[in-house]
Amino acid sequence: MGEITLITGGARSGKSAFAESLLDTEAKINYIATNCTAQDEEMKNRVLLHQKRRSKNWQTTETFLDIADLFQQKQVSAHLLDCATMLTTNFFFHLMKERFGEDFKVIDEEIAKLSESAKADIEAEILTEWHKILMAARKSSSQLIVVSNEVGLGIVPKNSFSRWFRDVLGHVNQSLGKEADAAFLVIAGIPMKIK
């Protein structure tokens, strides 16, 4: 059975660097980069910093879809998924595009009109996708390290949609924490084992 490790913490806490330090730079590692959608210059620079720090021996898979299928790769000893928050966000917008089309103006308008029932259905789809990922990782022979933002430690968002989505991300982290064999909270570059 595949071992699952969760690394969580705030923005720029050092969680990605810590996750990478847990893996052998010479081993066959699949780095699952989930921030693979169109980005502004600042986000492109953040991605570039991650890429420069990553071992040249590791392969990179840039995707936020069909993650469960990646665990069928027998030739890698571990997968490092960075990060769960971005995967969840991209998957959410993927679901919105399926429902409302590609126009982000229309998507924004439709999001503003989502009922509590519709939000519950969307959250269920997101959590089902994560369940598939975790069960596939568990059945594989390789290790999975998941990096995720601990979003509940920051300020309370101003609008109700943002508060709801923060809660969805919190529920994703709870699922990850429950399934993980080990979990670390990284604060100011200092990892603390919490499970």
Side-chain angles (χ1 to χ4, degrees):
M1 283 185 22
E3 182 180 294
I4 299 171
T5 301
L6 171 64
I7 313 292
T8 190
R12 286 293 189 252
S13 61
K15 57 191 179 297
S16 294
F18 173 67
E20 291 163 11
S21 77
L22 296 175
L23 297 167
D24 183 349
T25 57
E26 301 298 318
K28 290 190 182 260
I29 306 297
N30 182 30
Y31 195 107
I32 305 169
T34 61
N35 188 6
C36 49
T37 58
Q39 303 155 356
D40 58 28
E41 285 306 308
E42 187 262 341
M43 282 304 291
K44 287 179 184 177
N45 287 332
R46 284 176 177 260
V47 169
L48 190 59
L49 286 172
H50 278 255
Q51 290 171 341
K52 285 181 179 178
R53 192 178 60 222
R54 202 174 301 153
S55 171
K56 302 290 185 253
N57 296 316
W58 297 353
Q59 71 182 42
T60 299
T61 304
E62 294 185 354
T63 188
F64 62 90
L65 293 173
D66 303 319
I67 301 293
D69 295 343
L70 298 176
F71 297 102
Q72 295 175 13
Q73 297 179 14
K74 304 290 187 215
Q75 71 274 19
V76 298
S77 60
H79 300 270
L80 195 167
L81 190 153
D82 195 357
C83 79
T85 310
M86 188 58 67
L87 186 153
T88 302
T89 302
N90 285 336
F91 188 71
F92 168 77
F93 280 105
H94 170 75
L95 295 175
M96 295 303 94
K97 286 180 183 179
E98 285 184 337
R99 286 167 169 78
F100 307 121
E102 297 284 329
D103 186 336
F104 276 101
K105 185 177 180 194
V106 171
I107 289 172
D108 285 344
E109 291 168 357
E110 293 298 329
I111 286 173
K113 298 187 286 189
L114 288 174
S115 67
E116 292 305 310
S117 174
K119 288 178 185 176
D121 291 345
I122 292 164
E123 181 173 358
E125 283 187 72
I126 290 168
L127 292 173
T128 297
E129 184 68 14
W130 272 108
H131 180 74
K132 283 175 23 186
I133 292 167
L134 293 169
M135 291 307 99
R138 186 60 76 201
K139 291 177 186 173
S140 78
S141 58
S142 56
Q143 178 185 15
L144 170 63
I145 297 176
V146 180
V147 176
S148 189
N149 291 297
E150 191 53 54
V151 296
L153 296 176
I155 60 172
V156 176
K158 184 177 180 179
N159 68 61
S160 64
F161 172 77
S162 296
R163 288 190 297 273
W164 168 76
F165 197 68
R166 177 211 47 198
D167 292 349
V168 171
L169 294 171
H171 293 148
V172 167
N173 280 351
Q174 288 182 46
S175 295
L176 293 170
K178 181 179 179 184
E179 192 61 37
D181 300 292
F184 295 84
L185 174 64
V186 182
I187 299 175
I190 303 166
M192 297 176 290
K193 188 166 187 178
I194 57 176
K195 182 179 182 184

